Amino acid sequence: MPTDQLSTTFAALADPTRRAILARLAAGECSVTELAAPFDMSMPAVSKHLRVLERAGLIERRRDAQWRRCRIEAGPLKEVVDWAEHYRHLWEGRLDRLDTYLQELTATAQEEESHDRKQRGE
């Protein structure tokens, strides 16, 4: 069953190792060996992660003499941002309501504190 590009991208981003690889590639192109260095896993395991990222269109791999170089491809990430943007108004509305509630709590607490001080004669 074929999946859409957004689903493939989210599936690739679901793994923390793959997100860490993308974070490293955001700083610039590097070799597969350089990408594998921080991870406690075999090269075949790193290669599997790279294949998933490549199938999702998130990275591009190329050969440079004996080196395999990788670089990030931003297109699928833009699709994720565009998709998430549709939900921004929900998040902002909820955060605005939370802010209003916290302001009300603060005002109530300050009023109670002031009332308590007056009761004690301070």
Side-chain angles (χ1 to χ4, degrees):
M1 179 171 152
T3 59
D4 63 285
Q5 179 61 47
L6 192 58
S7 296
T8 302
T9 302
F10 275 122
L13 294 173
D15 186 273
T17 300
R18 292 192 285 267
R19 291 193 305 270
I21 289 170
L22 287 176
R24 167 57 187 90
L25 290 173
E29 185 177 288
C30 62
S31 72
V32 172
T33 305
E34 291 168 328
L35 285 174
F39 302 107
D40 186 26
M41 64 178 68
S42 66
M43 282 302 286
V46 171
S47 290
K48 278 185 173 183
H49 284 295
L50 294 175
R51 277 195 300 279
V52 171
L53 292 168
E54 190 173 30
R55 276 194 297 261
L58 291 164
I59 66 167
E60 181 182 276
R61 291 196 283 181
R62 64 180 177 82
R63 270 188 104 73
D64 184 16
Q66 75 269 22
W67 303 103
R68 288 199 174 266
R69 310 280 304 162
C70 297
R71 69 181 182 100
I72 196 167
E73 289 291 326
L77 294 173
K78 169 112 173 59
E79 291 177 29
V80 169
V81 169
D82 291 346
W83 177 84
E85 186 64 32
H86 293 292
Y87 299 93
R88 178 188 294 262
H89 70 280
L90 294 173
W91 306 332
E92 288 175 348
R94 289 178 181 169
L95 289 173
D96 289 345
R97 286 191 300 278
L98 177 60
D99 185 49
T100 300
Y101 176 70
L102 292 174
Q103 287 176 8
E104 289 170 1
L105 281 179
T106 301
T108 301
Q110 288 173 348
E111 288 173 11
E112 288 175 0
E113 185 179 321
S114 175
H115 178 74
D116 289 346
R117 272 193 248 134
K118 286 180 184 176
Q119 291 289 334
R120 290 188 303 247
E122 294 178 15

